[in-house]
Amino acid sequence: MSRTAVLAAFAAVLSLSVAELACEKTEVEITCPDDAFISITSAVYGRTSMTEPTCGRGPESLQSDSCALGSSQSTVEAECNSLPSCSFEVTNEFFGTDPCPNVVKYLNYTWECEGGGGGGGGGAEGFMSAACEGDDLVLRCPGDLVIDIDSSNFGRTETTTETCGFGPASLTDTNCFDTAAPEIIADACQGENECTLPVSIDDFSGTDPCPGTKKVAEVSYDCVEGGDLPTDDAEQVCEKETATIECDAGVITIEAATFGRQATVPTCGKGPASLTNTSCGRIDNALDTIAELCDGETSCEIAVTVDDIGLGDPCPGTVKYLEYEFSCGDGMPPEETDGPDVTESPMPPVETDGPVMTPAPSVGPPPPPPPPPTGGCGGMCMFSFAGGESSFAIGAP
C-alpha cells in the first residue's frame, strides 16, 4: 500500500488532518478510502522559509520567506474538495500566477477525509468555499448529494484569510457586502451537485461594494439528499413592498403565511447586520390575516408592513419579509350586484308520491236522530247517534 493510501486510511478512521508538502513541478495525489471524500483544510503556494525544503536547488533560489499566494487554498479546494480522489501538478500555470519569480516554490497543504464507512446516504455539513476576484468559485458535493447554502457573500469580512495576494492596505474594509450576491449564488448553486461561478463585480450586482478593497466570494453550505432541500414553492415579498396574488383560473386559498425572517435570503437590499435574526416570527403567524383578505378571491394585494399585517413587530432592527404559499382551486368568487334586492317568490306546493290526504271536516252540531224504524220494537227502542245515546218511547200509530 502506498504512503498516500496509508495516510488516507488513518485520516478517515481517526478523522485526522494530513499535512504534506509538494515542490514546484511535482505531482500531488490525494485519495480517500471507501465512500469518504476530500476536504482541503489549508494550502499555501510560494515559499515561507529560506532553508527548507530546498527542492533540489541551491541557496540562490531560496531567497524568500514571505512568498505566499493568497488564492492558493481556493484553487486547491476547487480542484479536490468533495471528490474521492484528485491529482494536479504544482505549477504557476495551475495556480494562475507566479507569486515570486526566480524563487523555487512549493505547496504546503493539509487535508482530511470526511464521511466514509461505506454506509452511503445521509448528508454532510460544514463545507466552505472561497474565491478571489478574477478566479472561479466552485461548490461541489460528494456522490449524489446536492448543495444547500447556509450563507454567502461577495466582499470582505476579515483581513487574515483569503488575502488574494494583497497586503493589509487593500484589506482594511471588513464591512464590505454585495447585497445581491446571496441571491445570485443561490440561483446558480442551490440544489445542484456542483456549480462554478466567475468572481467579479460584474458577475454580481455590477456595483463595487467597497472600492479599493480586494474582495472575495465566500460560501458556507451543507450537502444533503435532494429530498431534504427546503421547498421552493413559497413566495417572498420584502417589507414595505406590496404582495400581489392572482389566480388565472379558480379562486385563491392561502396555504401558509409567515411575516418575519427565517433565512438570510432574501436580503431585501440590506447588509448582514439586518439579517442575523433568522428566528423572527412564528411560522404561519400571518395565515389568518392573509387568508381573510384573499381566500375566495381571484386576486388580492397585501401591503407588507408591520401596521398592515397587524401582528406588531416580531423582531425590531431586522429587515422582514412576508413568505406565503397559495393554491388556485375550484370555486366561484363572490358575486357583486348593483341592482335592488329581489324578493323571493312563494315556495311551490310540495309534491309527494304517497296517497292524497283529504283534510278532516270541521266538527259541527250532532246530526238529527234517524227516523224511527217501520217495524215495531215493543214500545221502547234505543238508537245510537253521533254525540251519545238516547232512548224514547214510540207510541202506537
Side-chain angles (χ1 to χ4, degrees), residues 77-79 129-131 136-140 194-197 221:
E77 285 177 343
E79 188 70 18
S129 186
D136 286 340
L137 177 69
V138 178
L139 280 64
R140 184 189 294 119
E194 180 177 346
C195 69
T196 301
L197 288 84
Y221 64 100

Side-chain angles (χ1 to χ4, degrees), residues 128-153:
M128 289 288 298
S129 186
C132 296
E133 283 183 271
D135 294 336
D136 286 340
L137 177 69
V138 178
L139 280 64
R140 184 189 294 119
C141 282
D144 295 328
L145 300 179
V146 298
I147 297 163
D148 183 17
I149 295 173
D150 293 326
S151 63
S152 59
N153 181 49

